[in-house]
Amino acid sequence: MALGSFASNGFDSKRQRALPIPRANANMKTFTPDSSIASDVIPSMNYGERNKGRLPDMIVLHYTGMPDVEGAIAQLCTAGTDVSAHYIVLEDGRIVQCVPEAKRAWHAGVASWAGEQDINSCSIGVEIINRGHDWGYPEFPLRQIAAVIALCRGIMLRRKVPSHRVLAHSDVAPSRKKDPGEKFPWHSLANSGVGHWVQPAPIVRGETLKLGAISDDVADLQTALARYGYGAPANGKYDATTMEVVTAFQRHFRPARVDGVADHSTLTTLQSLLASLPDEAMAVAAK
Ligand SMILES: [Zn+2]
């Protein structure tokens, strides 16, 4: 989610540490959280059934991209906004569940990964409270990241989510989304067994592929991005879409420079990631 400003009011801001439960939801039927470390349930109105009973085998991480927590929770839980997520992770590490994992939450929007378009049907959506790029983009507090790691580890175990399918919203919707962004510490998650990650290759001077280039090298880059799962074109042209995909790749895997230019470091990091994918992932990618 990254929806810009949201007029939040009606919450008692003097209630310290109480969760801002949207009033319309106060009487909604609650449910038992799927995660034992979710401390609260705020049922969202916004969900449906997973298409053809598709079981989730992906986690999509987001930031809320809104200036305040109350507005973000209201946005995700109030009927009519058409957005939701299974979980919200607060800055202090508390975890709120809004949609049962069995249901289809509405967090990914128009998206694709590894040839699949209905990302909401195949994923668990986790919204991380952070104001995002439009509102100063603060660092993610350590305790919040620790909570994201613990939550994801549980989901991965229960749902058999492979590490390479723990993704950013920007990975599955590179033309539209930046979240959770280049400050999100994917390396810390990987150190705890969450997500596929390799040490990014150092940035060095040298030739690059960039917007406007047309060559076999561009075609090879597009093929490599698509093999990893990205919705990259296959036309040999370094067009705007290709640049957006490279930018998304860098936000996740080479955050030291996010410029949409495929330099040596970007290409090498991509090759290392592909080389370290488990065999079953490559079989899926080859389909
Ligand atoms: Zn998002």
Side-chain angles (χ1 to χ4, degrees):
M1 190 174 79
L3 292 151
S5 66
F6 182 83
S8 92
N9 47 41
F11 303 117
D12 185 351
S13 58
K14 294 192 189 79
R15 275 172 61 206
Q16 287 294 308
R17 300 187 62 80
L19 281 167
I21 297 175
R23 290 196 175 160
N25 290 18
N27 297 321
M28 241 190 91
K29 196 163 164 278
T30 189
F31 57 90
T32 306
D34 291 291
S35 168
S36 59
I37 57 168
S39 58
D40 302 86
V41 171
I42 302 180
S44 174
M45 307 286 285
N46 310 323
Y47 65 88
E49 299 300 323
R50 294 183 182 276
N51 191 28
K52 294 176 181 159
R54 176 79 162 85
L55 293 173
D57 64 355
M58 176 190 289
I59 298 172
V60 179
L61 300 182
H62 304 256
Y63 65 45
T64 47
M66 295 178 68
D68 64 280
V69 181
E70 291 81 359
I73 293 179
Q75 178 79 42
L76 291 164
C77 299
T78 310
T81 65
D82 287 348
V83 292
S84 63
H86 295 91
Y87 295 97
I88 305 173
V89 181
L90 278 62
E91 287 159 299
D92 65 6
R94 276 184 300 172
I95 297 168
V96 180
Q97 187 165 2
C98 306
V99 175
E101 287 181 8
K103 302 295 182 184
R104 180 179 181 272
W106 302 339
H107 56 96
V110 176
S112 79
W113 189 258
E116 212 168 359
Q117 313 291 321
D118 185 356
I119 298 303
N120 284 337
S121 277
C122 69
S123 66
I124 304 282
V126 177
E127 286 279 358
I128 302 161
I129 294 286
N130 183 290
R131 296 198 301 278
H133 291 82
D134 291 345
W135 302 92
Y137 196 26
E139 300 283 340
F140 294 88
L142 200 55
R143 64 177 69 185
Q144 186 181 36
I145 293 304
V148 171
I149 288 169
L151 175 64
C152 288
R153 284 182 65 96
I155 297 169
M156 290 171 75
L157 279 169
R158 277 184 283 109
R159 301 287 174 182
K160 298 189 170 52
V161 178
S163 255
H164 60 275
R165 286 175 69 84
V166 181
L167 298 166
H169 196 192
S170 52
D171 290 322
V172 300
S175 318
R176 302 186 302 115
K177 296 295 175 180
K178 296 178 179 173
D179 60 315
E182 61 281 1
K183 285 186 181 174
F184 190 74
W186 290 102
H187 58 282
S188 300
L189 272 70
N191 286 342
S192 297
V194 178
H196 182 219
W197 197 81
V198 296
Q199 185 68 37
I203 296 172
V204 293
R205 287 168 190 269
E207 289 190 26
T208 62
L209 298 171
K210 57 188 170 193
L211 193 62
I214 302 174
S215 68
D216 289 345
D217 288 346
V218 176
D220 290 346
L221 165 65
Q222 291 172 331
T223 302
L225 288 165
R227 273 176 67 208
Y228 197 73
Y230 286 96
N235 55 13
K237 296 179 192 163
Y238 209 108
D239 53 12
T241 307
T242 302
M243 184 171 172
E244 287 159 356
V245 173
V246 170
T247 304
F249 176 83
Q250 291 171 333
R251 274 190 214 289
H252 188 157
F253 296 109
R254 210 288 304 273
R257 188 186 291 169
V258 180
D259 59 3
V261 174
D263 55 13
H264 183 266
S265 156
T266 303
L267 298 171
T268 306
T269 306
L270 174 56
Q271 291 304 335
S272 308
L273 278 165
L274 284 168
S276 58
L277 272 177
D279 291 344
E280 61 268 31
M282 294 312 297
V284 172
K287 272 186 201 161

